[in-house]
Amino acid sequence: MGGLETKRKKHIMALFHRCAYAPTIAEFDKLLGKLKADGEPKVIEFLSRLANEHWCHPYFVGKRYGELTSNLVECFKSWIKNEHRLPITQLVDTIRVKLMDQMSNRRDSGLKWKTIICPKKDQKLGELFTLSKTWNVVRSNDELYEVHSDPFVSVDIGRRTCPCGE
């Protein structure tokens, strides 16, 4: 997107991000139309070369678990930044030793916990449990449930849908 002003680049990138993480195909199509309408010819040409199943949630076959980036790879590269130039056998052995050390430290840390799960997640689970105490969940059939809360919602477990669309 060379040659575009910063504000315009940010707008187009934000639209691209919203398209990639759209919860439904209808929302994706709506956002993609806006991206193409607002985008430059370069953007439209770039999008025409991308298969939807490779870059956006609603078309992806499988599970992405909310991630569309290579941040994990970058994190791993920074973890082995001093060792990445070693011959492969030494590199693998160094990674093995680093993993052993990391697991040992985490085991020692975990032994100090007063709960079965990570303290931060235990706290979050407690907060969600307290919030859900006022909910009344009624099963309509094997896959459809009604959650009586504020607001009342219907959740389809089989289709993995609810009114929020996510």
Side-chain angles (χ1 to χ4, degrees), residues 72-158:
L72 187 59
V73 173
E74 298 303 321
C75 180
F76 179 74
K77 283 172 62 178
S78 72
W79 190 57
I80 62 163
K81 65 182 171 204
N82 298 326
E83 297 87 359
H84 79 279
R85 296 188 191 271
L86 291 173
I88 189 68
T89 53
Q90 289 177 338
L91 176 62
V92 169
D93 194 51
T94 301
I95 292 170
R96 180 186 62 79
V97 170
K98 282 177 148 300
L99 284 170
M100 284 174 41
D101 185 48
Q102 185 181 59
M103 286 188 287
S104 177
N105 291 337
R106 288 183 177 176
R107 182 177 40 255
D108 292 344
S109 174
L111 290 172
K112 297 174 187 170
W113 294 352
K114 293 176 175 56
T115 62
I116 295 173
I117 60 174
C118 169
K120 287 182 182 178
K121 296 300 178 187
D122 189 53
Q123 179 185 354
K124 180 70 173 171
L125 191 58
E127 291 168 2
L128 291 172
F129 181 72
T130 301
L131 174 68
S132 70
K133 281 183 180 178
T134 60
W135 298 353
N136 184 20
V137 179
V138 179
R139 186 172 130 185
S140 295
N141 62 35
D142 288 340
E143 296 181 344
L144 189 62
Y145 292 82
E146 291 180 355
V147 180
H148 297 266
S149 64
D150 185 29
F152 164 85
V153 294
S154 180
V155 178
D156 189 332
I157 301 294

Side-chain angles (χ1 to χ4, degrees), residues 29-43:
D29 290 339
K30 182 177 102 178
L31 290 166
L32 184 63
K34 182 161 178 46
L35 178 61
K36 286 181 177 180
D38 291 0
E40 303 291 318
K42 287 186 216 178
V43 174

Side-chain angles (χ1 to χ4, degrees), residues 63 155-162 165-166:
K63 302 274 186 210
V155 178
D156 189 332
I157 301 294
R159 290 191 184 124
R160 300 179 61 91
T161 61
C162 67
E166 291 190 38

